[in-house]
Amino acid sequence: MIPRAWFFAAIHCRTWVYGTILGLWSLTAANVVGAADLQPIRFVLPNGLTVLFLEQHALPMIEAHALVKVGSAQDPPEKAGLANLVVSLLDEGTTTRTSAELAEQIEFVGGSLRASSSEDYTGATARVLKKDADLGLALLSDVLQNPVFPKHEFERVRSEIIGQLISEKDDPGTVAMRAFNQLIFAGHSYRWPVAGTEETIPQITQQDVRTFHDNYYLPNQTILSVVGDLTQEEVTAFVTKYFGGWKQVPAPTPKTASSQKLTKPTLKLINKELTQSSIILGHLGVKRSNPDYYAISVLNQILGAGGFGSRLMDNIRDKQGLAYGVMSLFEGRVAQGPFYISLQTRTEATNQAIAGVLHELKAIREAPVTDQELADAKAYLMGSFALRLDTTSKLAQTLALVELHNLGLEYFTQYPRWIERVTKEDVLRVAKRYLDPYHYALVVVGDQAKAKVKVEPTP
């Protein structure tokens, strides 16, 4: 199984982290607030920077998370991996600090700096004690606005990424996911790995990195969420001091093409001498901003996201004994994200497992779910909501993502109600609309001579 975050697009690829207290604070900040108590404040600076602030005084700390609305979706096809390479180099020195000075200053106060990229956005975070808020925001501002991308560090990091890509070729799950994305996102930049490929990374130059940063790292392209032990007056003063002088420039217009729905089952077989087959089956999903997303969440919980209580686990694992685990995922992104089911099974059982997956996809479209399934799924989603916001880190990131997807600040108080309103008829309706057991992409990585994969004909 390929572990992915179920709710928002996962942040991944090369991530840099400085600091010493990341894990400790994540634990001690748990259960600081209930979701219904969250009342964030939103304001916009004259330069277009959107600021979200949530006052939290349970611990003497702050977390500032900057979300820049640029990710691998803006990579030129021939230079896939560019956005990720840029974020990987932000900490390699600025116009005012060397890489070593950045590390020393944040570590001296026991704080942390980290950054990573995804398909739709880049995230950079500073976490410090309240008394060091000035320094934390100064460093975050510096790496975002003033990186210098030194030549020797550019060459080193680029080589590291290529090495990482080569090593990932041995992971059948990663190989399967990359092939799956190529099938369902044909013509769309989502088809490329966030980290790029062995072919595209060497094409990226130091000037490409600088130009990309200059074009996209803009205040009017950035959401800054701050959570912690500050007042609104203090946050306004810090943000104005360190981000108010960031110059606003019109951002380039995205040129990403729309993905096309598959018109037939599309198969990709990748041969590897393995005792198990890694299987991914799915198609285009939905945007995170889709109003049906809450009904889809309940549907997905029942189908394959609900762990041992899901239909796929019951069928594939418990009744047929074909896999240790099987899961389904609707990954909500700015554009249509993927829907997929993934599992690993012994080679000889590959066709049986695929048939089991398709059986469940058809079944959930043909009849309403049971009252018990609906109640269990809704109870889990509502009950676990607070756990997804139980650290300052999660709060800061979620605030920024709520703004990115234009979900509205009432999201925090209304989410349980939106889930509660989902009916069996809603689940059946979205199953019929967003699941397609006849037009899908299927990727199998394994011993193809033994697996002998067969695809059901489209009716």
Side-chain angles (χ1 to χ4, degrees):
M1 183 173 70
I2 299 172
R4 299 293 297 265
W6 74 271
F7 180 57
F8 286 122
I11 297 176
H12 47 110
C13 296
R14 189 179 187 276
T15 301
W16 50 265
V17 179
Y18 285 147
T20 57
I21 57 177
L22 183 66
L24 177 61
W25 275 351
S26 292
L27 292 173
T28 54
N31 299 320
V32 171
V33 295
D37 300 324
L38 300 176
Q39 300 292 335
I41 295 168
R42 179 184 185 277
F43 58 98
V44 181
L45 295 188
N47 63 7
L49 178 75
T50 300
V51 183
L52 301 163
F53 171 55
L54 187 61
E55 197 167 338
Q56 297 273 286
H57 298 291
L59 293 170
M61 58 172 289
I62 71 149
E63 176 124 0
H65 179 74
L67 184 155
V68 186
K69 300 176 190 177
V70 63
S72 61
Q74 280 73 46
D75 287 344
E78 72 279 9
K79 297 187 178 183
L82 176 55
N84 180 62
L85 184 54
V86 173
V87 76
S88 302
L89 288 162
L90 291 179
D91 66 329
E92 299 296 348
T94 70
T95 54
T96 57
R97 297 174 176 88
T98 65
S99 176
E101 287 171 339
L102 286 168
E104 289 169 1
Q105 289 183 20
I106 194 67
E107 290 176 357
F108 182 76
V109 300
S112 69
L113 274 175
R114 64 186 189 278
S116 58
S117 62
S118 72
E119 291 84 357
D120 291 325
Y121 59 87
T122 291
T125 301
R127 180 183 296 174
V128 290
L129 291 170
K130 172 184 172 65
K131 66 182 181 62
D132 301 312
D134 192 89
L135 174 67
L137 287 162
L139 296 179
L140 181 62
S141 167
D142 200 19
V143 298
L144 285 171
Q145 298 180 47
N146 308 310
V148 292
F149 307 117
K151 180 69 174 177
H152 62 287
E153 298 298 349
F154 166 79
E155 298 290 355
R156 178 182 61 79
V157 172
R158 189 172 63 166
S159 296
E160 288 178 0
I161 292 174
I162 293 172
Q164 175 189 335
L165 291 169
I166 292 172
S167 68
E168 289 176 352
K169 293 168 71 174
D170 294 330
D171 178 11
T174 299
V175 171
M177 180 53 71
R178 289 178 177 174
F180 176 75
N181 287 335
Q182 288 286 321
L183 293 177
I184 69 166
F185 291 123
H188 193 282
S189 51
Y190 282 167
R191 69 186 183 279
W192 302 112
V194 174
T197 70
E198 291 176 72
E199 292 74 29
T200 61
I201 293 296
Q203 306 305 315
I204 300 173
T205 67
Q206 188 185 20
Q207 185 57 48
D208 291 331
V209 170
R210 287 177 173 153
T211 301
F212 190 89
H213 176 270
D214 292 345
N215 286 342
Y216 290 105
Y217 281 62
L218 306 169
N220 41 311
Q221 283 281 97
T222 302
I223 301 163
L224 179 66
S225 59
V226 181
V227 177
D229 189 15
L230 295 174
T231 65
Q232 184 177 355
E233 290 71 23
E234 289 173 321
V235 166
T236 301
F238 280 132
V239 169
T240 302
K241 178 180 179 181
Y242 290 113
F243 295 90
W246 199 357
K247 186 177 180 181
Q248 181 177 5
V249 177
T253 302
K255 298 179 181 178
T256 302
S258 298
S259 302
Q260 300 299 314
K261 185 178 179 180
L262 296 170
T263 57
K264 61 181 180 180
T266 305
L267 181 62
K268 178 71 174 180
L269 303 177
I270 299 173
N271 195 47
K272 281 186 175 291
E273 292 186 9
L274 301 169
T275 58
Q276 289 196 323
S277 293
S278 291
I279 301 169
I280 296 182
L281 187 152
H283 47 67
L284 287 176
V286 296
K287 297 180 180 179
R288 178 58 187 88
S289 57
N290 189 316
D292 282 332
Y293 198 83
Y294 303 98
I296 291 170
S297 297
V298 175
L299 160 71
N300 189 50
Q301 185 71 15
I302 296 169
L303 176 63
F308 291 105
S310 73
R311 289 190 178 190
L312 285 168
M313 283 286 274
D314 179 63
N315 183 337
I316 305 294
R317 182 184 189 279
D318 298 340
K319 291 180 179 174
Q320 299 195 64
L322 299 177
Y324 289 111
V326 53
M327 56 82 74
S328 65
L329 176 68
F330 275 93
E331 191 173 306
R333 298 181 184 171
V334 171
Q336 276 184 288
F339 161 74
Y340 62 86
I341 294 168
S342 67
L343 72 153
Q344 289 184 327
T345 189
R346 62 185 186 278
T347 303
E348 294 76 10
T350 300
N351 281 316
Q352 185 181 350
I354 294 169
V357 167
L358 291 172
H359 170 80
E360 294 303 332
L361 278 180
K362 294 172 183 174
I364 206 166
R365 296 173 77 249
E366 293 171 353
V369 298
T370 67
D371 291 336
Q372 190 63 53
E373 286 177 319
L374 181 71
D376 289 348
K378 290 162 65 171
Y380 176 83
L381 291 171
M382 291 187 291
S384 62
F385 183 60
L387 297 178
R388 286 183 258 140
L389 304 171
D390 63 358
T391 69
T392 52
S393 175
K394 293 178 185 176
L395 280 169
Q397 292 185 38
T398 303
L399 269 175
L401 288 168
V402 165
E403 176 71 17
L404 174 70
H405 294 292
N406 197 28
L407 303 182
L409 294 184
E410 71 273 19
Y411 171 84
F412 297 98
T413 54
Q414 294 301 311
Y415 177 86
R417 295 183 179 89
W418 292 333
I419 292 295
E420 176 59 31
R421 290 173 187 160
V422 176
T423 66
K424 291 195 294 183
E425 290 73 23
D426 291 329
V427 174
L428 185 59
R429 175 179 60 81
V430 297
K432 289 179 180 291
R433 182 170 183 178
Y434 299 108
L435 294 179
D436 191 339
Y438 304 107
H439 308 97
Y440 55 82
L442 170 63
V443 178
V444 179
V445 178
D447 189 331
Q448 305 302 335
K450 295 180 180 177
K452 297 181 172 64
V453 176
K454 299 176 182 177
V455 177
E456 291 188 12
T458 303

